[in-house]
Amino acid sequence: MAFSQGSAQGGGFILLLLTASLLVLMSEAETIVVGGSKGWSFGFNYTDWAIKNSPFYINDKLVFKYAAPRNTSSYNVYLLPNLWSYINCDFRKASIVADAKQGSGKGFEFVLKQWRPYYFACAVNNGVHCSQGQMKFFAIPWPRPHY
Ligand SMILES: *[C@@H]1O[C@H](CO)[C@@H](O)[C@H](O)[C@H]1NC(C)=O
Ligand SMILES: *[C@@H]1O[C@H](CO)[C@@H](O)[C@H](O)[C@H]1NC(C)=O
């Protein structure tokens, strides 16, 4: 009885430590505009951009900026489920992150919350923006190192 109570308190303490370190991590998070001054647009090499802007860290915010559509749909942001669908620009199991309107103004913010690969791509035009327009990249956010 006493033992289980003790370990429960220990667990609570560890949780407190985790929460505290998470708050530190969050306070150091960066905001990064995808594509820089180019924003999220057709024909820009986002693979190259992602390489040059790596590493990303957990809780960093990616900002996708693109104009709202006038006549035709402009751009959007999808998450592809795995490397295969990313390579092939296959959106069948993709999930929408931001629609055509959400990139206007200050842009759409996406927080890299987990230590996993995020495969981003534009799904417009049956994936042509992804396959021909280079509108895809992936980011793997790392736990931010402490100094
Ligand atoms: C985009 O950049 C990557 C990485 O620098 C490079 O390997 C690739 O050839 C570039 N793609 C095009 C179409 O220029
Ligand atoms: C977009 O719509 C406007 C007004 O309806 C029209 O004048 C213009 O030609 C359209 N542009 C395209 C690219 O379809």
Side-chain angles (χ1 to χ4, degrees):
M1 224 25 180
F3 176 75
S4 69
Q5 201 179 7
S7 58
Q9 277 168 2
F13 181 66
I14 288 167
L15 202 72
L16 202 76
L17 275 182
L18 281 175
T19 311
S21 51
L22 209 72
L23 285 175
V24 171
L25 287 175
M26 277 163 77
S27 66
E28 291 171 354
E30 282 183 45
T31 301
I32 305 149
V33 178
V34 176
S37 60
K38 287 280 179 191
W40 187 231
S41 59
F42 190 91
F44 182 82
N45 193 337
Y46 291 94
T47 303
D48 194 49
W49 175 86
I51 291 168
K52 287 181 178 150
N53 285 271
S54 290
F56 299 98
Y57 294 107
I58 290 170
N59 287 320
D60 279 353
K61 279 184 204 162
L62 296 182
V63 182
F64 291 86
K65 288 187 175 181
Y66 46 93
R70 295 205 178 125
N71 315 48
T72 56
S73 57
S74 55
Y75 305 111
N76 56 28
V77 184
Y78 274 72
L79 269 181
L80 293 163
N82 51 44
L83 185 60
W84 189 90
S85 57
Y86 170 79
I87 288 168
N88 293 291
C89 291
D90 180 343
F91 289 87
R92 277 177 296 181
K93 288 186 179 156
S95 50
I96 188 158
V97 169
D99 68 20
K101 290 176 189 156
Q102 286 173 284
S104 62
K106 288 183 179 170
F108 177 84
E109 276 187 5
F110 185 95
V111 182
L112 299 169
K113 286 192 187 131
Q114 292 166 25
W115 191 4
R116 52 157 273 201
Y118 289 90
Y119 302 102
F120 295 101
C122 181
V124 168
N125 231 338
N126 285 325
V128 168
H129 280 190
C130 174
S131 57
Q132 313 279 314
Q134 303 182 69
M135 295 188 75
K136 63 172 174 179
F137 69 96
F138 68 91
I140 304 171
W142 299 93
R144 193 174 282 279
H146 288 269
Y147 299 107

